[in-house]
Amino acid sequence: MPLASAAAPSRVGRHGVALARFARAVERTYLADSYFRVPLQVMRPNYPEGETPAHLTLINPTGGHVGGDLLELEIALDEGARVLWTSQGATKVYKSLGEPVVSTTRIEMGKASGLELLPDPVIPYAGSIYLQETRVSMAEGAKLLYGESLYHGRVASGEHFDYSSLKIRLHIDYGGAPLLRDVMEVRPGDSEPERLGLFEPYPYLGSFYVAGGTDGELNRITEQADALLAGSSGLAGGCTRFSGPGALVRWLADSPEVLRKTHFEIWNVARSALFGREATPLRKF
């Protein structure tokens, strides 16, 4: 699967690009092709779990993103490739003077490939505008685990839903057919975020998506995730199966500690079911 060519820099802000294609030779997944442009940077893969999966870290040397920044990430997995992709730290979105930070991710997954996409939380600062879109195209037999977290602001500075707007979209196609369309938009100035049916008293949001797998594996994930959420304090959440091969776990937490702990536990449940491995603490640089 060829990588798309990097577009010309945008007229406002920085245009960050990260492109990566993974292939498999015998039992090892390797980075076959890559390109990046600051404010995104792709690190060399490491192999803390053996020959597979390849662990790759995306970093932002500038520390955060400002209005007008365009961030483009493209990931391609050839048949049988196994990758765990994470970030160096949180996605910090600074105050905007009018232009949004736009982040787009395109993922192509070949047959029998597996991807664990585990970025750190999105932290929208006061006055920030953030648009994120992720599109995943999966061949039949591919497996995806995707965890996402959202803070309500820069907590250490006393921010609490002080950002201007935030929109997150996720599209997943499986075997050429739509599997999931998930859209969330929050505009704190237009509607009280803590009202009934939105965040209520829980300002931290976690989402974990599972795509691919057998009915038995997905049933195991949903049953264990529901039991985990029901037995935990400081959060509210639930799990649902898709009409196709997939599931979604979503929860609200009252603290970043509960958010992180739950994320790791849900990842462990899903990883054990789909890939036969327990979750492992991720190496950060």
Side-chain angles (χ1 to χ4, degrees), residues 3 18 22 39 45 70 103 139 145 152 171 174 186 198 206 222 231 262 268 270 281:
L3 297 172
F22 297 89
L70 173 60
S103 175
L145 302 181
H152 54 107
H171 292 188
Y174 182 88
V186 183
L198 199 52
T222 54
T262 305
N268 184 54

Side-chain angles (χ1 to χ4, degrees), residues 51-278:
E51 295 298 298
T52 189
H55 285 226
L56 203 74
T57 302
L58 182 71
I59 70 171
N60 173 13
T62 66
H65 305 294
V66 300
D69 280 357
L70 173 60
L71 313 171
E72 290 188 290
L73 173 62
E74 292 190 15
I75 308 171
L77 275 66
D78 289 354
E79 182 173 352
R82 278 276 286 111
V83 177
L84 188 155
W85 188 299
T86 188
S87 55
Q88 181 192 33
T91 298
K92 300 173 183 177
V93 187
Y94 299 142
K95 180 179 180 179
S96 171
L97 298 179
E99 294 285 336
V101 172
V102 178
S103 175
T104 64
T105 300
R106 302 288 183 268
I107 301 171
E108 295 281 342
M109 298 181 63
K111 293 181 179 179
S113 63
L115 174 63
E116 297 169 84
L117 188 61
L118 303 168
D120 286 282
V122 174
I123 305 178
Y125 285 26
S128 63
I129 305 173
Y130 183 62
L131 304 176
Q132 175 181 298
E133 180 178 270
T134 304
R135 292 182 176 269
V136 186
S137 178
M138 304 173 62
E140 290 191 20
K143 296 179 179 181
L144 169 70
L145 302 181
Y146 176 23
E148 202 172 67
S149 303
L150 173 64
Y151 281 27
H152 54 107
R154 187 171 39 170
V155 180
S157 298
E159 296 176 1
H160 183 65
F161 293 110
D162 292 326
Y163 53 87
S164 294
S165 68
L166 176 143
K167 187 171 185 177
I168 297 177
R169 294 182 290 192
L170 173 62
H171 292 188
I172 301 178
D173 292 341
Y174 182 88
L179 179 65
L180 172 70
R181 300 290 186 266
D182 191 30
V183 180
M184 179 185 69
E185 184 169 10
V186 183
R187 296 179 179 271
D190 297 340
S191 179
E192 175 53 52
E194 293 176 297
R195 74 180 192 276
L196 185 67
L198 199 52
F199 288 91
E200 300 180 18
Y202 303 98
Y204 299 90
L205 172 67
S207 301
F208 202 96
Y209 304 89
V210 181
T214 65
D215 282 341
E217 291 168 341
L218 293 168
N219 287 337
R220 175 182 166 190
I221 291 170
T222 54
E223 290 169 4
Q224 293 185 4
D226 275 332
L228 189 155
L229 295 174
S232 300
S233 59
L235 61 80
C239 183
T240 184
R241 280 284 307 272
F242 304 155
S243 58
L248 165 62
V249 186
R250 180 161 283 157
W251 66 98
L252 295 166
D254 63 4
S255 70
E257 294 77 18
V258 171
L259 178 72
R260 288 193 296 267
K261 178 176 181 292
T262 305
H263 184 279
F264 188 86
E265 291 172 340
I266 295 297
W267 175 36
N268 184 54
V269 165
R271 193 179 210 233
S272 298
L274 252 61
F275 296 118
R277 293 190 180 190
E278 293 186 352

Side-chain angles (χ1 to χ4, degrees), residues 27-50:
E27 295 299 319
R28 186 181 182 87
T29 295
Y30 63 96
L31 183 60
D33 192 11
S34 67
Y35 170 85
F36 65 83
R37 181 167 64 214
V38 174
L40 298 179
Q41 182 174 342
V42 176
M43 304 294 291
R44 285 181 175 271
N46 61 85
Y47 299 85
E49 301 181 75

